[in-house]
Amino acid sequence: MDAAIDYQAFRAEIRDFALAHCPPDIRAVVASYRKLSRKVWYPWQRILFEHGWGAPSWPKEFGGTGWDPRQRVIFDEVMAECDCPPQYHHGLRHLGPVIIEFGTPEQQKRFLPGILNGEDWWCQGYSEPGAGSDLASLRTTARREDDHYMVDGQKTWTSHAHESDWMYTLVRTSKEPKKQQGISLLLIPLNLPGITIRPIRTIDGWHHVNEVFLDGVRVPAANRIGEEGQGWTYGKFLLERERLGGANIAPHRKALERVRELVATELAGEGRRAERELLQHRLLLAESELLAASELGRESVEAVMQGNALGMLPSVIKLGTSVTMQTISQIALDAVGERLAPRFRRVDGAGPNAEEPGIEWVQNYMYARVRTIYGGSSEVQKNVIAKQLFGI
Ligand SMILES: Cc1cc2nc3c(=O)[nH]c(=O)nc-3n(C[C@H](O)[C@H](O)[C@H](O)COP(=O)(O)OP(=O)(O)OC[C@H]3O[C@@H](n4cnc5c(N)ncnc54)[C@H](O)[C@@H]3O)c2cc1C
């Protein structure tokens, strides 16, 4: 432990700030378990930025806090405990560190301030039809012409593209024998001619993912990060940086407590005692899984603090918590389903009936299906674990 840092006092400082400065209407949205959007994230990012906490994971010289990994996890935990929005990750956690590590001084000056103060909103253009888990199969091409690239192809499942200004994008700049080679990382403004963004309607009734079509889009070569053909290396760096993200179990514990309250109120009374106790029992099992995950999270933070490799820990945590969160959302649905499931309008254009109190539990159940797919599907996590365990 760093003797110079009083982590308990740090936790209390973050908590006092969060409770005093995070607007009640924003905390209410977070507490309601609705999918968040720029409208909610942006004002909170501004408040954090103005306080000097805009980028907890960046070094001080780039406007970050310079906090150590334990402080960063404490910050995330307290934010979740206080129902403050988690910071929007695409700029701050994914792209920012890549620009800090591999960008030119001009690129750092151009792109980092907008991420920090929330003025520039980013999305991730990696996945394509036919290139998800096997990302290196991506086919979107970028052909160099003088001082720009001509980009043609399609991205899919692009979260928040419809409310983003920019997309950091993996493109193929040359055909090489190994498919991980010949990939480059381009920063593409989403207002360029030739870009079409179409919503993907998901079963949860929220609009959060999109298809992005790129037809003859002229992107300045100055928007390429690092060397041409080295995009895979930067992509891997980006994912490595995110590996501690799962160590924060606080949002999951918060969700569990909410569902516990929901079960108690929704199934109140002697007449529903048996049903209630059954769901409470299932919640206890879920809680024990979260306790185990939280221990693994603590182990991960200690490993990073001591400069040790994380090995399979992030995959084990992701695998476990994604299923536990699906279980918790299932319990919530079992509590409200009888009353609300028939009121949930299908995604045929009308969307869910937002007026119906509690409908977000139905939406959340639908949304939770994605947890075992994005950020590396469960099967892919199992492959990673098997590789570490058995070297296969
Ligand atoms: C809601 C949502 C948001 C997303 N947001 C973004 C985003 O912002 N930007 C972005 O670039 N992408 C995003 N994605 C895409 C996401 O990263 C991919 O869906 C994910 O990588 C899986 O790829 P896929 O959908 O092509 O499925 P596939 O890779 O085709 O997988 C299909 C099935 O096969 C299994 N499988 C695949 N490979 C193996 C293997 N080697 N061994 C065993 N089983 C395997 C998978 O586990 C899965 O069950 C998002 C996806 C969703 C659903």
Side-chain angles (χ1 to χ4, degrees):
M1 180 183 286
D2 186 335
I5 299 173
D6 179 343
Y7 290 99
Q8 241 174 327
F10 176 77
R11 189 179 282 276
E13 182 192 352
I14 304 283
R15 191 177 170 77
D16 289 348
F17 180 85
L19 292 176
H21 295 279
C22 190
D25 55 332
I26 290 185
R27 290 172 61 198
V29 178
V30 176
S32 74
Y33 278 85
R34 289 193 168 80
K35 185 91 180 75
L36 302 182
S37 66
R38 185 173 182 171
K39 219 170 105 196
V40 174
W41 275 308
Y42 170 71
W44 181 227
Q45 178 61 23
R46 285 299 301 187
I47 293 167
L48 290 173
F49 164 68
E50 275 154 23
H51 192 69
W53 291 351
S57 63
W58 293 7
K60 273 194 170 152
E61 62 265 38
F62 293 102
T65 58
W67 289 337
D68 69 27
R70 188 183 288 128
Q71 286 176 298
R72 300 202 303 254
V73 171
I74 290 174
F75 178 80
D76 288 344
E77 280 174 356
V78 176
M79 288 300 143
E81 284 159 11
C82 298
D83 287 327
C84 302
Q87 285 174 287
Y88 181 70
H89 53 293
H90 278 302
L92 279 173
R93 296 197 180 195
H94 287 184
L95 181 65
V98 174
I99 295 180
I100 288 171
E101 187 76 16
F102 303 105
T104 62
E106 293 72 33
Q107 288 171 331
Q108 291 166 349
K109 222 167 119 198
R110 164 69 188 85
F111 295 113
L112 295 178
I115 296 175
L116 194 59
N117 65 25
E119 292 301 327
D120 289 338
W121 223 245
W122 290 82
C123 62
Q124 179 187 65
Y126 281 14
S127 304
E128 298 181 4
S133 306
D134 181 19
L135 185 58
S137 292
L138 64 90
R139 287 185 304 181
T140 294
T141 55
R143 196 164 27 88
R144 182 74 189 250
E145 287 182 1
D146 305 322
D147 61 349
H148 64 270
Y149 287 97
M150 286 295 275
V151 181
D152 287 281
Q154 185 198 338
K155 296 292 170 180
T156 193
W157 301 116
T158 322
S159 299
H160 304 286
H162 58 295
E163 49 184 11
S164 293
D165 308 297
W166 291 81
M167 177 167 77
Y168 59 97
T169 317
L170 286 180
V171 293
R172 189 161 292 288
T173 36
S174 65
K175 275 215 168 96
E176 306 292 337
K178 207 170 161 226
K179 60 186 177 183
Q180 283 79 4
Q181 294 165 342
I183 291 175
S184 301
L185 179 59
L186 282 188
L187 309 184
I188 304 183
L190 287 171
N191 60 0
L192 288 181
I195 297 181
T196 310
I197 299 172
R198 285 201 203 131
I200 298 177
R201 293 188 187 285
T202 47
I203 54 170
D204 52 39
W206 285 309
H207 174 200
H208 49 103
V209 278
N210 305 273
E211 295 177 293
V212 180
F213 298 88
L214 302 126
D215 297 307
V217 180
R218 279 171 67 99
V219 180
N223 287 13
R224 190 193 69 229
I225 296 291
E227 287 175 48
E228 187 173 283
Q230 293 301 312
W232 194 250
T233 314
Y234 312 135
K236 271 204 313 205
F237 171 87
L238 185 152
L239 294 178
E240 281 299 311
R241 294 276 316 196
E242 258 308 274
R243 283 167 69 78
L244 205 50
N248 171 24
I249 308 295
H252 309 328
R253 295 187 65 108
K254 196 87 200 197
L256 183 123
E257 287 314 320
R258 286 260 145 70
V259 175
R260 191 167 267 148
E261 285 163 26
L262 181 79
V263 167
T265 49
E266 197 73 30
L267 303 177
E270 198 48 33
R272 305 200 74 176
R273 184 177 171 164
E275 280 173 89
R276 186 172 64 243
E277 288 185 352
L278 185 64
L279 295 192
Q280 283 165 340
H281 177 71
R282 283 165 60 193
L283 280 170
L284 274 178
L285 294 179
E287 188 170 17
S288 67
E289 288 165 13
L290 287 186
L291 280 173
S294 128
E295 276 309 298
L296 294 177
R298 227 165 39 90
E299 217 178 285
S300 311
V301 175
E302 292 316 309
V304 173
M305 289 293 287
Q306 277 155 37
N308 296 332
L310 283 176
M312 70 179 99
L313 276 172
S315 291
V316 175
I317 296 174
K318 162 81 173 44
L319 190 60
T321 51
S322 52
V323 173
T324 306
M325 287 307 288
Q326 287 181 341
T327 305
I328 292 170
S329 74
Q330 171 75 66
I331 296 169
L333 186 73
D334 289 347
V336 301
E338 197 182 321
R339 177 169 69 84
L340 287 177
R343 313 297 289 265
F344 184 74
R345 282 195 230 142
R346 271 296 304 127
V347 289
D348 49 7
N353 186 353
E355 304 305 314
E356 200 67 54
I359 199 75
E360 64 275 10
W361 295 110
V362 186
Q363 288 183 272
N364 239 305
Y365 168 78
M366 304 285 189
Y367 176 74
R369 303 309 97 201
V370 81
R371 289 183 180 275
T372 46
I373 301 171
Y374 66 8
S377 72
S378 287
E379 291 74 17
V380 168
Q381 303 298 345
K382 285 177 189 168
N383 286 349
V384 173
I385 294 167
K387 239 183 218 159
Q388 301 251 351
L389 278 179
F390 309 118
I392 48 170

